[in-house]
Amino acid sequence: MICSNKECAIEFEPKTHNQKYHNDECCRVATNRRIMEKYYEKKAIRQGAARGCKKCGHQLSRYNDTSLCASCQKKTDMSKRSNILDRINEIS
Ligand SMILES: [Zn+2]
Ligand SMILES: [Zn+2]
């Protein structure tokens, strides 16, 4: 196993099957970094940093905390619904 802390990346013998970090300190550091990244991402959104829709690239409203614009969300919803309808039609 290689420690999941990128700054450490030391090779170690895992004691449990789900051990990702070579020691508690690396686990703590990596977890803290993840929390801080999330925090700054949310802060940037609140401060109105421009984000684009993942599908069409349309600029997202700062009140939209998803990665899709409203019209792409609607389209995704509709395609989901039509898939269900297609399946119902196949059965009947
Ligand atoms: Zn480590
Ligand atoms: Zn979009």
Side-chain angles (χ1 to χ4, degrees):
M1 263 308 273
I2 288 174
C3 181
S4 285
N5 178 7
K6 275 182 220 136
E7 276 153 37
C8 168
I10 203 170
E11 222 173 301
F12 68 99
E13 203 71 49
K15 292 185 193 86
T16 57
H17 70 283
N18 57 358
Q19 189 181 350
K20 286 200 269 181
Y21 305 99
H22 90 280
N23 65 15
D24 288 348
E25 180 63 16
C26 272
C27 184
R28 197 179 61 81
V29 167
T31 308
N32 275 350
R33 191 165 41 220
R34 250 202 328 266
I35 291 169
M36 287 315 279
E37 275 168 12
K38 275 257 164 73
Y39 171 76
Y40 282 118
E41 204 181 293
K42 279 210 174 135
K43 202 172 161 193
I45 291 171
R46 231 175 299 138
Q47 286 171 342
R51 292 175 309 134
C53 168
K54 263 193 184 164
K55 275 201 170 169
C56 69
H58 188 275
Q59 196 178 320
L60 296 178
S61 145
R62 74 161 92 176
Y63 304 108
N64 183 349
D65 55 5
T66 71
S67 52
L68 292 177
C69 71
S71 65
C72 284
Q73 273 178 44
K74 228 179 252 171
K75 267 181 231 161
T76 319
D77 277 358
M78 278 199 295
S79 64
K80 260 186 218 155
R81 213 168 297 151
S82 73
N83 277 343
I84 294 168
L85 283 177
D86 284 350
R87 225 161 288 158
I88 293 170
N89 286 337
E90 273 168 33
I91 298 167
S92 54

